[in-house]
Amino acid sequence: MAREPAKTLRDHFAYRFGEAPPAHDPSGDDGTLSYLARRRTHRKYSERPVPPALIETLAAAALCAPTKSDLQQRDIVIVRNPSLRDGIDALFPEDKWIAAAPAFLVFCGNNRRQRQLHEWRRRPFANDHLDAFFNAAVDAAIVLGTFIIAAERAGLGCCAISAVRDHASRISDLLGLPDHVFPVAGLTLGWPAGEGTVALRLPLAVTVHEDRFSEAGLRRRIDAYDLRRADLQPYARQRHTEEYGTTTPYGWSEDKARQYSKPQRADFGAFVRSKGFRLD
Amino acid sequence: MAREPAKTLRDHFAYRFGEAPPAHDPSGDDGTLSYLARRRTHRKYSERPVPPALIETLAAAALCAPTKSDLQQRDIVIVRNPSLRDGIDALFPEDKWIAAAPAFLVFCGNNRRQRQLHEWRRRPFANDHLDAFFNAAVDAAIVLGTFIIAAERAGLGCCAISAVRDHASRISDLLGLPDHVFPVAGLTLGWPAGEGTVALRLPLAVTVHEDRFSEAGLRRRIDAYDLRRADLQPYARQRHTEEYGTTTPYGWSEDKARQYSKPQRADFGAFVRSKGFRLD
């Protein structure tokens, strides 16, 4: 990282978001806001193991997060078995993150339990449409985000592995996920080795709207963000140079447009349908 | 609430989850775990206003959460305009939560920006399938969960309003959400008045799995959970008694099976498609 973030909450936000960080510094803050402002993703971990009981405690804490209508449509799979870990890791030959991490979890949406309740209580299930998938996915995502915060506050480092969606069917088989249960994301976990990365974010004027959605100044702000990225955290390599050549500056917008110019997870919908979901 | 939760982390978990709470009490905990263990949803707020700068600060903190592949496919709309608030509130004649809360926000998935990048950078967008909707929904959910934690740690109370999905099209119009931007959930926010509710959770043996998904003892555990609910937090009324009569005990499984025995949000998929998403 080219520049170290400074010390006040406002400084952390200024580094993260660039222009116009919020000015408020709540007197009652217990450290959560400045933790969030400076939090980092960690992909490298020390050899020190993470106690199983700590992982279970973090899972419990995460499951205290809100859940849509009290439906609790999310589960956590803690993957401990080394050969199972290796089997999942082998799906990602380019990244050896999963086998190398002290701990690995998979956060799942679970709409199966709800359907079981209907069977047991003999009530018809009248909501076999997109909602069934969407609500479970959102519940799982909230628990994932909460787990990350609990873990980081306990001194651990994490990296969410959304690439599990690239091999959802195979991972589902390995974990024995039944119909209407699907992986939303994995998570590697360990005691951090190294600095980690403060992910720079789009200016708040782009992502926070008042009353009505606004795109005022959008392109100008993204151009400025691209330049900040290229300056402070230059990309190590450009994507798909064989087709697109090299671009200068190579910013966020160019990187993301190149990334999604190639099909990814085109079979994810087929997987979700194969799990019994209708997406009408 | 019939019984007050006790004081240690393990006691908080025992109240929340019932059987077999995790035994680990991390020495390094800064209070985040015990906060999560005892956190409560608040639907009633004092008259004291929430400073706009504080809401913006919380939004900034929430947007520091992880985002799939750095795509940042989520936005926050802070709804301040009173007539706009009333317009949204009027969609929910049974609950006056939104108008009564000091602050109201809507968390949105945004796959529009990604498509704009492709247009600006002249790269084809090759991922017009379920992934586009799913990734944005998950990103928005993580930011929602993170916002709630930041707000609660600053002393505020929150209630996520997933019912915005019941009127997604109308709310989308009121907030001026363009194609490929959709509401995931609303959130009411204010300084708590009253105790709030510690939502009891399914036993961890049901929702946390080791290595492979397991339903060992599932029905027995849900039966026990139903009894705990009926004992500690009895439902104020039973649903759809005109059709199903009354049941004793009336637990979680009966309540949820009755709730989803009637169609809800059957038009949500049509709304999402009307926003330009293909869900293939």
Side-chain angles (χ1 to χ4, degrees):
Chain A
M1 206 165 25
R3 292 174 204 167
E4 269 302 303
K7 303 291 182 203
T8 70
L9 179 61
R10 192 164 202 279
D11 286 339
H12 287 305
F13 280 141
Y15 181 79
R16 176 87 73 175
F17 295 103
E19 60 173 78
H24 192 81
D25 213 330
S27 55
D29 181 33
D30 66 335
T32 300
L33 293 179
S34 54
Y35 144 69
L36 286 169
R38 67 177 194 276
R39 65 167 293 281
R40 292 158 185 245
T41 298
H42 286 277
R43 289 190 180 82
K44 291 182 183 171
Y45 311 103
S46 77
E47 297 285 314
R48 184 180 160 200
V50 184
L54 174 56
I55 299 174
E56 285 154 27
T57 300
L58 297 171
L63 290 162
C64 299
T67 156
K68 153 69 181 157
S69 293
D70 191 24
L71 293 167
Q72 310 185 51
Q73 296 191 87
R74 68 288 174 276
D75 287 6
I76 301 175
V77 184
I78 302 170
V79 185
R80 292 215 172 95
N81 181 295
S83 67
L84 187 55
R85 287 270 297 271
D86 288 346
I88 296 173
D89 192 73
L91 300 171
F92 306 94
E94 291 182 23
D95 308 301
K96 304 311 286 179
W97 296 335
I98 293 169
F104 180 66
L105 298 87
V106 179
F107 292 77
C108 299
N110 181 340
N111 179 246
R112 171 179 173 82
R113 204 156 40 230
Q114 179 64 30
R115 292 171 197 247
Q116 287 170 316
L117 304 184
H118 289 262
E119 202 182 299
W120 298 338
R121 300 298 161 203
R122 293 181 194 169
R123 308 292 178 212
F125 179 62
N127 289 282
D128 199 1
H129 49 76
L130 182 61
D131 183 73
F133 169 70
F134 178 70
N135 286 340
V138 167
D139 268 13
I142 291 172
V143 167
L144 167 67
T146 305
F147 187 99
I148 290 170
I149 290 170
E152 289 177 347
R153 291 299 263 164
L156 289 155
C158 304
C159 182
I161 308 289
S162 55
V164 303
R165 297 168 202 165
D166 296 4
H167 299 284
S169 179
R170 193 76 195 89
I171 287 169
S172 176
D173 290 347
L174 287 167
L175 302 181
L177 304 185
D179 274 359
H180 303 109
V181 180
F182 57 98
V184 168
L187 190 78
T188 58
L189 188 70
W191 305 103
E195 292 285 299
T197 312
V198 173
L200 298 182
R201 290 283 183 256
L202 288 163
L204 296 165
V206 168
T207 50
V208 181
H209 309 260
E210 184 170 330
D211 291 329
R212 284 180 68 84
F213 189 88
S214 165
E215 292 184 338
L218 178 64
R219 181 136 187 202
R220 173 178 59 75
R221 289 195 164 99
I222 289 183
D223 285 345
Y225 177 64
D226 281 339
L227 294 176
R228 284 195 85 223
R229 294 288 299 250
D231 176 28
L232 294 174
Q233 297 179 351
Y235 289 90
R237 61 177 187 82
Q238 301 197 8
R239 290 177 200 264
H240 307 307
T241 49
E242 71 293 352
E243 187 167 347
Y244 303 133
T246 57
T247 312
T248 309
Y250 184 83
W252 176 80
S253 67
E254 180 69 29
D255 187 70
K256 295 303 139 197
R258 288 186 181 202
Q259 182 174 354
Y260 275 71
S261 72
K262 304 294 172 189
Q264 297 188 27
R265 289 171 300 286
D267 59 351
F268 187 67
F271 162 72
V272 171
R273 285 182 176 84
S274 79
K275 282 291 180 190
F277 285 102
R278 297 175 62 196
L279 301 179
D280 303 337
Chain B
M1 204 164 26
R3 291 173 204 166
E4 269 301 304
K7 303 291 184 206
T8 71
L9 179 61
R10 192 162 201 281
D11 286 338
H12 288 305
F13 280 141
Y15 181 78
R16 175 88 73 176
F17 295 103
E19 59 173 78
H24 192 81
D25 214 331
S27 56
D29 181 33
D30 66 336
T32 300
L33 293 179
S34 53
Y35 143 70
L36 286 168
R38 68 179 193 274
R39 64 167 295 281
R40 292 157 184 246
T41 298
H42 286 276
R43 290 190 179 82
K44 292 183 182 170
Y45 311 103
S46 78
E47 297 284 314
R48 182 180 161 201
V50 184
L54 174 56
I55 299 174
E56 285 154 28
T57 300
L58 297 171
L63 290 162
C64 298
T67 157
K68 154 66 184 161
S69 293
D70 190 26
L71 292 167
Q72 309 184 54
Q73 296 191 86
R74 69 287 175 277
D75 288 6
I76 301 174
V77 184
I78 303 169
V79 184
R80 292 214 171 95
N81 181 295
S83 66
L84 187 55
R85 287 270 295 270
D86 288 346
I88 296 174
D89 192 73
L91 300 171
F92 305 94
E94 291 182 23
D95 308 302
K96 304 311 285 179
W97 295 336
I98 293 169
F104 181 66
L105 298 87
V106 179
F107 292 78
C108 300
N110 181 341
N111 179 246
R112 171 179 172 82
R113 203 156 42 229
Q114 179 64 30
R115 292 170 197 248
Q116 288 169 315
L117 304 185
H118 287 263
E119 201 183 299
W120 298 338
R121 300 297 160 203
R122 294 180 192 168
R123 309 292 178 211
F125 179 61
N127 289 283
D128 199 1
H129 48 78
L130 182 61
D131 182 73
F133 169 70
F134 178 70
N135 286 340
V138 167
D139 267 13
I142 292 172
V143 167
L144 167 67
T146 305
F147 188 99
I148 290 171
I149 291 170
E152 290 177 346
R153 292 298 264 164
L156 289 155
C158 305
C159 183
I161 308 289
S162 55
V164 302
R165 298 169 202 164
D166 296 4
H167 299 286
S169 178
R170 194 75 194 90
I171 286 170
S172 176
D173 289 347
L174 287 167
L175 302 181
L177 304 185
D179 275 0
H180 303 109
V181 179
F182 57 99
V184 168
L187 189 79
T188 59
L189 187 71
W191 305 102
E195 291 285 300
T197 312
V198 174
L200 298 183
R201 289 282 183 258
L202 288 164
L204 296 166
V206 168
T207 50
V208 181
H209 310 261
E210 184 170 331
D211 291 330
R212 284 179 68 85
F213 189 88
S214 165
E215 293 183 338
L218 178 64
R219 182 137 188 200
R220 173 178 59 75
R221 290 197 164 96
I222 289 183
D223 285 345
Y225 177 64
D226 281 340
L227 293 176
R228 283 195 86 223
R229 294 289 299 250
D231 176 27
L232 295 173
Q233 298 179 351
Y235 289 90
R237 61 178 188 82
Q238 300 197 10
R239 291 177 199 263
H240 308 306
T241 49
E242 72 292 351
E243 188 167 347
Y244 303 133
T246 57
T247 311
T248 309
Y250 184 84
W252 175 81
S253 67
E254 181 69 29
D255 188 70
K256 295 303 138 198
R258 288 186 181 203
Q259 181 174 355
Y260 275 71
S261 72
K262 304 294 173 189
Q264 296 189 28
R265 289 171 298 287
D267 59 352
F268 187 67
F271 162 72
V272 170
R273 285 184 175 82
S274 79
K275 281 293 182 188
F277 285 102
R278 298 175 63 197
L279 300 178
D280 305 336

